[in-house]
């Protein structure tokens, strides 16, 4: 027989592998048994792996349960007044220096968090300063905006998330190099004014959609607002038309309000229109709506 | 089918891990919030830490890491205080409620902005939803030395009612800067023209008296009030009052009567300092 020719049978005359004759004879039977053994071994292995994995998970769960129970007890003891004068384990007279420093670090971090509530917060970085300007409406946080400043060789803006309709460039040209505090105060006021106006318009759309025709028209700075509304819910007509102009970008109340109705409208409606003109000038939009649209939605 | 078994275990494991995290945080919060170390103790600890050898791992940060962290935080804080003008002198908080998505804390904060000191307390609620964390301030209580008729107490009441902490800080900063500006201006003129200028109520007062040392009884009183409205806008209001003795009045009546109005225009045109300077020059 020549080397490298033919299959395991080695005989060129025999048919190729895969086209065997049906099994018969001892060899064939042995093959079947071997195959079955192999299958069973694989299944056995898989079963063992599954059991092992389940056992691992179970023991992990048990471990965690123990730890959780320990912590619960520890916490209960602490809450029931297991504290000495300083609240730390042994020897309040000579506190562990590491514990003191870790305490101090957490206190300082907490104080830095408080700065966020003032509206201006930040962190020094290698090259400059990362600032976060927060806006809020009556205690509820609205949006945060970011500003990255380079401080050397002179103060300038590297990156920011200030919307395009806020006059950032103007403000930075005038104040950034000479009076950073004033720059930030003014920028912050612009952002606050914008966020506050947007919030009022959003509230109007969300809570009083049954009283307004479609959605109010507004510009991106949210200082021009137009909408038609009615004095009753789910009405099919909207006899009153309001136009609010907020000329001062720092303020959240409009400088000019026009509420109009058609010239042949009844006198009572015209009177209401002029009342509402005053109302929208003096009160936040969603609050103003609440006074005549009842207690629809959250107070 | 087997995946179900795994899922049950995995769910339980995840729930336990979350609960452990929460319990640990609660424990640390209570420890943190019921402890206080004085500046002395802190400095002592820093010194004794410096003596410790490096390489104390055990899963803790090395002494130099801790020190570096501490310094970086102190630098950031000191910078922020300088930048915003707010010096916080003490702060304490107490975590009143903490669950997976909700934290309620009570805060107490005192500090000052230039010469104005304040003490406040409030409640902070933070709710974690899918995309973001929302935070709401309530129960705001502010104590400020009111002094003078500036509208401060009305402003503070309005802010407390609405929970407008950020507005409080922003307006306080602007207001305090005006107060400081007034104080510096008074100081400047007192130093420059000591015979002409007197400050009966000192630098913290809101008026200044100008008199010509040669003409007795003739006085100009400039009142500089700084008004704070309910929305937090600061407005300086200047006025001039004249005290003129009889004989001078008879001689120069028309000129004296128009002085207050002319002073107001001067202030609008030239600014406060220039207007005051001119007035003093006239007297000399």
């Amino acid at each position: 027989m020549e080397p490298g020719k033919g299959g395991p049978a080695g005989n060129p005359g025999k048919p190729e592998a895969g086209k065997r004759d049906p099994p018969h004879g001892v060899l064939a039977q042995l093959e079947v048994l071997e195959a079955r053994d192999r299958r069973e071994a694989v299944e056995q292995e898989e079963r063992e792996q599954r059991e092992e994995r389940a056992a691992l998970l179970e023991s992990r769960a048990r471990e965690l349960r123990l730890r959780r129970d320990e912590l619960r007890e520890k916490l209960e003891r602490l809450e029931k007044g297991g504290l000495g004068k300083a609240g730390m384990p042994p020897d309040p007279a000579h506190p562990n220096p590491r514990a003191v420093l870790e305490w101090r670090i957490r206190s300082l971090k907490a104080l830095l968090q408080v700065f966020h509530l003032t509206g201006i917060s930040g962190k020094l970085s290698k090259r400059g300063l990362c600032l976060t300007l927060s806006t809020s409406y009556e205690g509820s946080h609205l949006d945060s905006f970011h500003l990255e400043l380079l401080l050397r060789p002179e103060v300038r803006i590297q990156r920011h998330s200030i919307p395009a309709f806020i006059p950032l460039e103007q403000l930075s040209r005038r104040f950034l190099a000479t009076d950073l505090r004033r720059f930030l105060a003014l920028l912050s006021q612009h952002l606050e004014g914008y966020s506050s106006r947007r919030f009022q318009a959003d509230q109007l759309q969300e809570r009083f959609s049954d009283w307004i025709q479609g959605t109010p028209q507004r510009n991106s700075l949210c200082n021009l607002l137009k909408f038609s509304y009615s004095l009753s819910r789910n009405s099919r007509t909207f006899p009153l038309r309001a136009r609010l102009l907020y000329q001062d970008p720092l303020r959240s109340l409009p400088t000019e309000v026009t509420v109009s109705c058609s010239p042949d409208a009844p006198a009572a409606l015209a009177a209401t229109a002029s009342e509402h003109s005053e109302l929208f000038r003096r009160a936040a939009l969603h609050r103003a709506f609440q006074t005549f649209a009842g207690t629809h939605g959250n107070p | 089918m087997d995946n179900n078994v795994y899922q049950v275990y995995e769910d339980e494991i995840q729930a336990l891990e979350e609960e452990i995290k929460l319990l640990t945080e609660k424990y640390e919060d209570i420890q943190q919030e019921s402890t206080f170390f004085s500046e002395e103790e802190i400095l002592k600890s820093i010194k004794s830490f410096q003596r410790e050898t490096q390489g104390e791992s055990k899963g803790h940060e090395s002494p130099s890491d801790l020190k570096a962290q501490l310094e970086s935080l102190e630098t950031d804080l000191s910078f922020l205080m300088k930048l915003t003008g707010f010096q916080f002198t003490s702060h304490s908080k107490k975590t009143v409620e903490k669950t997976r998505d909700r934290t309620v804390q009570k805060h107490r904060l005192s500090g000052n902005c230039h010469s104005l000191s304040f003490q406040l307390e409030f409640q902070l609620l933070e709710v974690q939803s899918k995309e973001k964390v929302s935070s709401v301030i309530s129960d705001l209580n502010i104590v400020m030395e009111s002094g003078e008729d500036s509208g401060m107490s009305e402003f503070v009441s309005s802010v407390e009612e609405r929970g407008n902490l950020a507005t409080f800080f922003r307006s306080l900063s602007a207001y305090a800067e005006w107060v400081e500006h007034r104080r510096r201006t008074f100081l400047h003129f007192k130093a420059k023209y000591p015979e002409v200028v007197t400050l009966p109520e000192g630098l913290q007062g809101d008026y200044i008296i100008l008199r010509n040392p040669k003409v007795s009884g003739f006085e100009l009183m400039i009142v500089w009030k700084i008004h704070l409205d309910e929305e937090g806008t600061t407005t300086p209001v200047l006025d001039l009052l004249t005290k003129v003795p009889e004989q001078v009045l008879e001689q120069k009546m028309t000129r004296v009567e128009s002085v207050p109005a002319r002073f107001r225009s001067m202030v609008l045109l030239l600014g406060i300092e220039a207007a005051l300077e001119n007035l003093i020059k006239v007297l000399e």
Side-chain angles (χ1 to χ4, degrees), chain B residues 24 35 51 68 73-74 81 88 91 95 98 113 129 133 145 147 164 177 188 194 216-217 228 232 235 246 251 260 265:
Chain B
T24 312
T35 307
R51 282 184 250 120
L73 287 168
E74 283 178 340
M81 292 205 202
F88 291 133
H91 170 238
T95 304
K98 189 171 200 155
C113 184
S129 67
V133 182
E145 356 155 331
N164 250 335
E177 278 198 36
H188 164 79
S216 75
L228 189 56
T235 325
E246 288 280 333
Q251 288 163 19
S265 328

Side-chain angles (χ1 to χ4, degrees), chain A residues 78 83-88 103, chain B residues 27-37 92-94:
Chain A
L78 192 64
L83 298 173
K85 161 205 124 188
M88 308 223 84
W103 176 87
Chain B
Y27 188 83
E28 286 172 353
D29 280 344
I30 294 183
Q31 277 207 315
Q32 177 77 16
E33 292 164 8
S34 54
T35 307
F36 181 77
F37 293 116
S92 73
K93 75 172 159 79
K94 185 157 162 41

Side-chain angles (χ1 to χ4, degrees), chain A residues 265-287:
Chain A
L269 192 65
T272 308
S274 81
E275 260 174 47
H276 283 191
S277 270
E278 258 311 293
L279 181 60
F280 293 160
R281 207 187 320 259
R282 278 182 293 110
L285 193 52
H286 58 300
R287 293 275 153 73

Side-chain angles (χ1 to χ4, degrees), chain A residues 60 65 68 72 123 139, chain B residues 12 17 19 61 76 137:
Chain A
R60 172 125 180 94
R65 241 176 280 137
R68 187 272 313 268
R72 272 190 183 163
K123 187 164 174 46
Chain B
E12 188 186 356
E17 283 174 342
E19 193 182 348
E61 289 164 279
D76 282 344
I137 292 176

Side-chain angles (χ1 to χ4, degrees), chain A:
Chain A
M1 193 174 67
E2 290 171 54
K5 263 237 172 104
N11 195 331
K14 265 246 166 114
E16 295 160 30
K19 292 187 187 158
R20 295 209 176 106
D21 293 331
H24 64 276
V26 176
L27 272 174
Q29 285 185 335
L30 267 176
E31 270 176 26
V32 168
L33 284 171
E34 275 175 15
R36 191 177 61 193
D37 273 346
R38 271 198 300 274
R39 260 199 326 273
E40 281 180 5
V42 166
E43 280 174 12
Q44 169 79 352
E45 208 184 306
E46 283 178 355
R47 212 180 313 130
E48 282 171 0
Q49 277 181 348
R50 282 198 301 271
E51 283 171 6
E52 212 182 294
R53 182 158 168 217
L56 265 169
L57 286 177
E58 192 191 4
S59 92
R60 172 125 180 94
R62 212 179 316 130
E63 206 186 293
L64 288 177
R65 241 176 280 137
L66 266 171
R67 212 162 113 205
R68 187 272 313 268
D69 292 340
E70 253 174 43
L71 276 173
R72 272 190 183 163
E73 265 176 66
K74 216 170 143 197
L75 193 58
E76 226 183 281
R77 265 183 279 132
L78 192 64
E79 280 171 341
K80 289 212 173 101
L83 298 173
K85 161 205 124 188
M88 308 223 84
D91 211 355
H94 296 285
N96 165 7
R98 171 183 286 276
V100 174
L101 290 185
E102 285 176 348
W103 176 87
R104 175 76 171 154
I105 285 174
R106 297 176 101 213
S107 301
L108 293 180
K109 283 186 178 166
L111 197 51
L112 275 169
Q113 279 294 97
V114 167
F115 260 101
H116 280 286
L117 300 173
T118 67
I120 298 180
S121 179
K123 187 164 174 46
L124 287 168
S125 67
K126 262 176 295 191
R127 280 175 306 160
L129 181 58
C130 297
L131 289 162
T132 304
L133 301 174
S134 318
T135 58
S136 59
Y137 188 82
E138 297 192 353
S140 296
H141 177 251
L142 294 175
D143 270 313
S144 291
F145 301 91
H146 303 282
L147 198 59
E148 275 179 42
L149 299 176
L150 294 170
L151 299 175
R152 278 172 287 272
E154 78 251 323
V155 188
R156 58 194 191 285
I157 300 175
Q158 186 182 35
R159 259 195 291 264
H160 68 87
S161 69
I162 313 281
F165 42 80
I166 303 285
L168 180 64
E169 222 209 275
Q170 230 179 309
L171 287 171
S172 53
R173 244 182 297 129
R174 275 184 76 191
F175 300 109
L176 190 57
T178 51
D179 195 343
L180 182 58
R181 190 193 292 189
R182 189 131 173 241
F183 166 76
L184 289 175
L186 282 168
L187 180 59
S188 163
Q189 281 182 291
H190 274 273
L191 291 169
E192 180 94 356
Y194 157 66
S195 288
S196 172
R197 293 190 298 270
R198 194 184 71 185
F199 175 76
Q200 290 174 62
D202 287 343
Q203 287 285 293
L204 182 70
Q205 229 169 283
E206 269 170 55
R207 287 162 54 184
F208 300 102
S209 51
D210 294 343
W211 305 72
I212 296 175
Q213 179 177 42
T215 54
Q217 267 182 288
R218 49 165 131 164
N219 62 352
S220 31
L221 187 51
C222 288
N223 66 344
L224 180 59
L225 205 61
K226 287 193 221 173
F227 56 92
S228 299
Y229 65 106
S230 93
L231 294 173
S232 51
R233 271 179 83 172
N234 297 318
S235 157
R236 267 183 239 135
T237 60
F238 302 95
L240 291 166
R241 184 151 180 78
R243 177 183 183 273
L244 282 76
L245 176 67
Y246 303 74
Q247 195 109 37
D248 185 346
L250 306 184
R251 304 204 72 159
S252 59
L253 286 176
T255 48
E256 211 180 285
V257 177
T258 326
V259 180
S260 53
C261 50
S262 77
D264 52 348
L269 192 65
T272 308
S274 81
E275 260 174 47
H276 283 191
S277 270
E278 258 311 293
L279 181 60
F280 293 160
R281 207 187 320 259
R282 278 182 293 110
L285 193 52
H286 58 300
R287 293 275 153 73
F289 251 77
Q290 213 168 301
T291 60
F292 64 83
T295 49
H296 173 74
N298 314 330

